[in-house]
Amino acid sequence: MTPFARIAIIGLGLIGSSLARAVRARMPGVALTGFDRDGAVCETVRRLSLLDSVAGSPAAAVAGADLVVLAVPLGAMRAVGEAIRPALAEGAILSDVGSSKQAVIDALADCVPPGVQLVPAHPVAGTEQSGPEAGFASLFMGRWCILTPPPAADPAAVARLADFWTRLGSRVETMDARHHDLVLAITSHLPHLIAYSIVGTASDLEDVTKAEVIKYSAGGFRDFTRIAASDPTMWRDVFLMNRDAVLEMLARFSEDLAALQRAIRWGDGEALFRRFEASRAIRRAIVDAGQDTGAADFGRSHPETPATTPGA
Ligand code: NAP
């Protein structure tokens, strides 16, 4: 039996629409409703038949749902929480997919009526694209979903949500919200900040033209541009909502960057080599853990190398 009979998703972009597709694929028979403030998004969701019904308001969408998932940007969580509070059904689980967790707990603290359980979650899965057409059913397969229940959460509700994400193909872990925010600050938030920064620096250069930056991007730059193409609203909110953890990691990063700068200035090849060798081991561990492909150049296709003629 599926853990929920009626699921409401508020926010039908990349993550919300992927969740709808995954539920359809893995839990047929579950009633799916949803709402998005963007009329064009609602139209697309109807056209793609991703839900059983698209409601006219967030409150109408959550009425009678035993699981409500907020898939809106972090800055919109509180407003949505306030709008749905009176309509949440007794016994429902209120969850979300936000990329920062303590901020969601703080935003929703006053929006949970008695008889409703708040169990925040973060599927560590995504792409640099946005909107319902960018979503796909297998997005969460083999990826981690981190649950961050507040200390008073009912363990039965946490287990039910863990079961839900496991059935969608995710691997589930439970963590304290503040610890989640620290871990994600280094594994996700700081890399995005660095990508936004380096792409900005390259486009502001005066001695190197923008055409040259684009032409020679395969030297490494283009891999930063994928990350830096991520949704501006989402990432603005991530940095505003996970400020302390990001600033802490940024301070550590700046010190390590200064150490590399010094090694380059003083010709300390040994220090550079040691650092690069350790980094390579991290890449190997990520591939070994099944979190990325081991294929060269992220598995991009390359033209066949022409056969060499003997003696040529
Ligand atoms: P998205 O594709 O931009 O979709 C978000 C949708 O929510 C948009 O259609 C947006 O409409 C709508 N929305 C905004 N405010 C709303 C409100 N008050 N009521 C109803 N709908 C509202 O973004 P996403 O990538 O799916 O991200 C959604 C959440 O998932 C965020 O909290 C993010 O931190 C989290 N997350 C994202 C990723 C990722 O890689 N993208 C990964 C894991 C978790 P407008 O366009 O009109 O604002």
Side-chain angles (χ1 to χ4, degrees):
M1 215 179 79
T2 54
F4 300 100
R6 187 178 178 84
I7 298 174
I9 304 170
I10 310 297
L12 301 170
L14 170 72
I15 302 296
S17 75
S18 295
L19 189 58
R21 288 174 169 97
V23 170
R24 272 259 192 277
R26 312 286 288 226
M27 299 173 204
V30 169
L32 270 173
T33 62
F35 171 79
D36 196 288
R37 72 169 181 183
D38 185 333
V41 166
C42 292
E43 263 321 298
T44 305
V45 169
R46 281 195 195 95
R47 178 171 51 78
L48 298 173
S49 302
L50 297 182
L51 301 174
D52 295 304
S53 66
V54 179
S57 72
V62 307
D66 48 4
L67 174 64
V68 174
V69 182
L70 308 189
V72 294
L74 290 166
M77 294 284 180
R78 180 183 278 280
V80 174
E82 284 169 354
I84 61 174
R85 187 186 194 284
L88 288 169
E90 169 92 29
I93 292 178
L94 173 61
S95 190
D96 76 303
V97 294
S99 307
S100 166
K101 300 297 356 150
Q102 189 58 47
V104 171
I105 292 178
D106 295 345
L108 297 179
D110 299 334
C111 309
V112 190
V116 172
Q117 287 288 321
L118 174 65
V119 187
H122 177 204
V124 187
T127 75
E128 68 282 14
Q129 298 183 341
S130 311
E133 278 169 311
F136 52 99
S138 59
L139 178 63
F140 311 109
M141 294 277 294
R143 301 271 90 94
W144 286 99
C145 182
I146 304 175
L147 309 188
T148 61
D154 175 6
V158 179
R160 208 167 150 204
L161 193 67
D163 180 25
F164 170 74
W165 279 103
T166 305
R167 285 168 190 250
L168 296 185
S170 292
R171 297 194 264 174
V172 176
E173 187 135 313
T174 302
M175 211 180 266
D176 168 73
R178 287 195 192 283
H179 186 68
H180 164 280
D181 292 351
L182 211 53
V183 172
L184 270 290
I186 188 63
T187 58
S188 171
H189 307 170
L190 198 57
H192 277 79
L193 194 69
I194 293 165
Y196 282 125
S197 166
I198 197 168
V199 172
T201 303
S203 73
D204 289 346
L205 288 176
E206 282 152 13
D207 301 338
V208 178
T209 66
K210 205 170 271 182
E212 286 172 311
V213 169
I214 292 168
K215 184 171 168 186
Y216 301 116
S217 64
F221 182 72
R222 71 178 178 188
D223 291 337
F224 283 103
T225 62
R226 183 193 70 75
I227 301 177
S230 299
D231 190 75
T233 304
M234 169 186 160
W235 284 97
R236 177 203 61 198
D237 287 3
V238 166
F239 292 117
L240 295 179
M241 301 286 176
N242 197 22
R243 192 180 71 154
D244 293 347
V246 168
L247 289 178
E248 187 176 331
M249 289 303 165
L250 194 54
R252 296 280 287 268
F253 171 75
S254 303
E255 282 175 25
D256 290 345
L257 191 62
L260 287 178
Q261 190 180 11
R262 204 168 45 235
I264 294 169
R265 186 182 308 287
W266 296 103
D268 187 350
E270 205 180 308
L272 293 173
F273 187 86
R274 268 201 315 272
R275 172 45 66 102
F276 300 163
E277 200 177 32
S279 304
R280 209 172 205 197
I282 295 264
R283 173 72 194 163
R284 273 191 223 110
I286 289 170
V287 171
D288 290 349
Q291 293 297 303
D292 203 357
T293 171
D297 199 15
F298 300 147
R300 289 183 178 108
S301 60
H302 291 276
E304 286 296 313
T305 316
T308 46
T309 325

